[in-house]
Every structure is written in C-alpha cells, then in structure tokens.
Amino acid sequence: MKYELIIGIDPAGIGTSGIVIYSNETNNIIFNETFKTKTVLESKNLFKEYFLIIKQHFENEKILVIVENFFLTSKQLLTNPLATPKVIGALMVLVQDVMNWDYQESEPKNKSKIENYQGNIILTKHEQDAYKHIQYYLRN
C-alpha cells in the first residue's frame, strides 16, 4: 500500500517526544519537531493539535502513522512507567478513530537496524528514532 505521507513518532507520555513527517512523493522529511510535556493529557493534546494541522494541509492524502512501542526493562527507573503506554493508546484512538489514518506500532529494536539520518536537517535523538521507524517500514 502506497502512502503519500508517513508520520513517525517517538512518544513520551511525560517527557520528550519526537515527530517526523516523511513525504513518499519527494522522499524527504517535510517536518520534524521535538516537544517536552509534563502530563499525559498535555502530550495527547499536542499530538492532536499536530494531527489536526496535518489533516488540514493534507486532507486527501493517504497517511500512515508509525508509533514506537514501549517496553519497560528491569534497568529502567521511571517515576511514571504508565505515562508512555497511556499516550500510545491515545495516539491509536486519535489516528484510527479521529483522523481515519492507518496506524502501526514499531518495536524499539527495529530502529537499531537503521543508520541515523545524514541529510541537511539536524534531528534530535527523538526525531532520529521517529525517522528510523519510518525507514524500517519503507525497507520492510
């Protein structure tokens, strides 16, 4: 299935999230952003704002949203380990039920198989992760 836009997201319910929008037509990143939030609600609302703007500008485009899944390992010490899974659930509802776009989750290990973006845009760590999930999807 051919998508005009692929949106990669490295989500955080509380903390830093990265989003990258890739145009399949131009084979280029057309948007990248990193933002920091203090609550799950704030994170969900920011993603919703981004999605509404994207929907306005790309109303008739076929869009896929790829979200990095979340796993808690024994080495992680998080003050709110449920925040990211909560925002991932919110993203699934926003993408599938509100925006009517296709939704896919990508495992964290998938990004390790992809090299960092080496183009003319400077990406943050979270944007790099979002970009890598897009590239993993395109290669597989």
Side-chain angles (χ1 to χ4, degrees):
M1 179 172 287
K2 179 84 168 164
Y3 295 97
E4 285 85 9
L5 292 181
I6 302 175
I7 302 170
I9 297 175
D10 178 22
I14 297 172
T16 306
S17 295
I19 183 169
V20 169
I21 303 176
Y22 181 85
S23 169
N24 242 339
E25 293 177 30
T26 63
N27 293 320
N28 286 310
I29 294 171
I30 60 170
F31 178 82
N32 58 291
E33 184 76 47
T34 296
F35 58 88
K36 193 167 187 155
T37 55
K38 294 181 181 169
T39 67
V40 172
L41 181 62
E42 182 185 11
S43 183
K44 178 201 57 107
N45 287 339
L46 266 173
F47 279 116
K48 184 177 179 184
E49 284 179 35
Y50 281 117
F51 291 165
L52 290 171
I53 292 167
I54 294 163
K55 193 162 184 92
Q56 271 183 341
H57 286 84
F58 301 97
E59 191 173 344
N60 297 318
E61 304 289 329
K62 187 124 180 84
I63 298 174
L64 171 66
V65 178
I66 301 171
V67 177
E68 181 177 296
N69 204 349
F70 174 81
F71 292 98
L72 188 60
T73 67
S74 59
K75 295 178 183 175
Q76 288 175 303
L77 180 62
L78 299 175
T79 55
N80 191 343
L82 293 179
T84 300
K86 283 180 183 179
V87 88
I88 290 172
L91 285 167
M92 185 188 318
V93 171
L94 283 171
V95 169
Q96 292 177 325
D97 300 335
V98 178
M99 300 299 147
N100 295 311
W101 297 335
D102 289 343
Y103 175 90
Q104 180 176 313
E105 288 178 4
S106 183
E107 302 308 317
K109 66 181 178 185
N110 294 344
K111 68 185 176 196
S112 67
K113 300 171 184 174
I114 306 293
E115 290 186 24
N116 279 345
Y117 171 77
Q118 298 294 324
N120 59 354
I121 301 170
I122 297 172
L123 299 180
T124 66
K125 175 193 178 304
H126 298 284
E127 292 165 1
Q128 285 283 5
D129 287 352
Y131 169 79
K132 287 178 179 182
H133 287 293
I134 293 169
Q135 291 306 307
Y136 181 82
Y137 167 80
L138 290 172
R139 293 177 187 180
N140 296 290

